[in-house]
Amino acid sequence: MKRTVFRNRWLPYLLVLPQVVVTLVFFFWPAFGSLRLALYRTSPFGDRLIFAGLDNYTRLLGSGEYLQSAVNSFVFAFGVTFGGLTASLGLAVLANQKIRGLAIYRTALLWPYGIAPAVAGIIWLFIFHPAYGVLPYVLAAVGSFQFNWLLEGWVAMLMLITAAVWKQLGYNIAFFLAGLQSIPTSVLEAAQVDGADPVRRFWRVVFPLLSPITFFLFVLNMVFSFFETFGLVHAVTQGGPGHATEILVYKAYNDGFVNQQLGTSAAQSVILMVVVIGLTMLQFRYAEKRVTY
């Protein structure tokens, strides 16, 4: 491998400087601000901060509403991560076949990733909304079936998971497709000569070779479901019906910007950050052992 040598020893530092600045300004600065703000509570008139120590954390951990939003977050993350990876891998295998019009199919599968989460939520709202959605209208016309998901929390959560999976589908398929195309045909031909049928070739040969990509996407999809789905929730359900789809990131927004409880909101941000960092560390500690490099 050819090693790149910079003539100016300051040039490498200059090249990474923008990324360092972006990380400091948009991650570490807000993170330290949240750590500080979580130790305070806002006065009744919202004009000053009062030192409260760890009171915000103890109140949150004793709140049934907050614990329910934590359960909602884990259900949502589980559905988005496992449902998204399963659907993406299946579609990537189909998109890897040699069929006519393959470029059109691949483009159609990849383009949802270019849509912002809020826009994706609006699209799904036009499909499922009980008042003006296409699907309830068709179901009512065909079988007189009234589809009002605003009244059923688990249905709303299921649709939110479906919308999030669809939003992330293109990103996952792109990586799985690249991984499938990098597998040498000689390996698959050798397995076929040994008598392995297509199902056995996939589970014994293809899937293990895709394990680094699967692990990478597993971590990214989990982070996406915890942090980057605020726009989707805000556009589709706004945490309802009741609090059935209020996940942690959306509750932090509600408490901070709607209810003006800045200290409580900051404490939720800190807890959410710790939870995601902990889950990521567990994945690197245990799941990575099953990855075949």
Side-chain angles (χ1 to χ4, degrees):
M1 180 181 295
K2 184 179 180 181
R3 183 179 179 182
T4 303
V5 179
F6 294 95
R7 295 181 179 178
N8 188 330
R9 68 189 184 95
W10 294 107
L11 182 58
Y13 300 101
L14 187 63
L15 293 175
V16 300
L17 182 61
Q19 182 60 47
V20 173
V21 172
V22 168
T23 304
L24 289 175
V25 172
F26 293 102
F27 179 75
F28 284 102
W29 189 8
F32 283 117
S34 296
L35 285 171
R36 183 189 67 83
L37 198 58
L39 302 176
Y40 293 84
R41 60 183 171 87
T42 312
S43 67
F45 295 100
D47 55 344
R48 61 192 177 90
L49 296 175
I50 304 169
F51 183 75
L54 299 177
D55 186 51
N56 289 325
Y57 294 103
T58 55
R59 282 197 303 165
L60 280 175
L61 297 178
S63 167
E65 186 179 325
Y66 180 73
L67 296 179
Q68 182 58 49
S69 71
V71 173
N72 292 341
S73 295
F74 279 96
V75 171
F76 180 70
F78 181 85
V80 172
T81 303
F82 285 94
L85 291 184
T86 303
S88 303
L89 181 57
L91 290 172
V93 170
L94 294 176
N96 196 39
Q97 307 300 315
K98 295 179 181 178
I99 56 177
R100 181 175 297 180
L102 186 60
I104 298 175
Y105 296 139
R106 287 179 178 175
T107 303
L109 290 171
L110 296 177
W111 75 267
Y113 182 65
I115 299 176
V119 178
I122 295 296
I123 292 174
W124 282 89
L125 206 56
F126 277 106
I127 296 175
F128 288 111
H129 197 280
Y132 51 80
V134 175
L135 186 60
Y137 176 78
V138 173
L139 292 176
V142 173
S144 301
F145 180 74
Q146 299 296 325
F147 185 69
N148 190 347
W149 55 268
L150 289 176
L151 301 178
E152 296 290 343
W154 70 271
V155 181
M157 175 61 81
L158 184 61
M159 285 192 297
L160 203 60
I161 291 173
T162 305
V165 167
W166 178 77
K167 165 67 186 71
Q168 198 69 356
L169 204 62
Y171 185 84
N172 297 336
I173 288 176
F175 277 89
F176 277 132
L177 201 54
L180 288 169
Q181 293 180 350
S182 67
I183 297 175
T185 54
S186 59
V187 176
L188 299 175
E189 290 171 355
Q192 187 175 5
V193 170
D194 289 341
D197 56 28
V199 175
R200 187 178 292 272
R201 286 203 300 273
F202 177 80
W203 287 113
R204 298 292 186 183
V205 179
V206 175
F207 193 69
L209 291 175
L210 288 177
S211 57
I213 295 175
T214 306
F215 178 69
F216 167 74
L217 292 177
F218 187 85
V219 175
L220 282 191
N221 277 260
M222 189 200 67
V223 174
F224 165 77
S225 61
F226 272 101
F227 281 119
E228 301 176 26
T229 50
F230 166 79
L232 193 64
V233 178
H234 190 63
V236 179
T237 64
Q238 297 186 353
H243 297 283
T245 59
E246 189 179 59
I247 58 176
L248 288 173
V249 67
Y250 196 75
K251 181 168 176 54
Y253 159 78
N254 263 337
D255 288 346
F257 290 92
V258 178
N259 300 327
Q260 293 296 306
Q261 298 175 358
L262 299 180
T264 305
S265 177
Q268 293 178 47
S269 302
V270 173
I271 292 175
L272 180 59
M273 182 172 62
V274 171
V275 167
V276 174
I277 290 175
L279 289 175
T280 305
M281 291 176 65
L282 286 176
Q283 290 167 14
F284 274 93
R285 177 70 176 81
Y286 296 104
E288 195 183 21
K289 292 180 179 179
R290 298 180 179 274
V291 175
T292 304
Y293 290 103

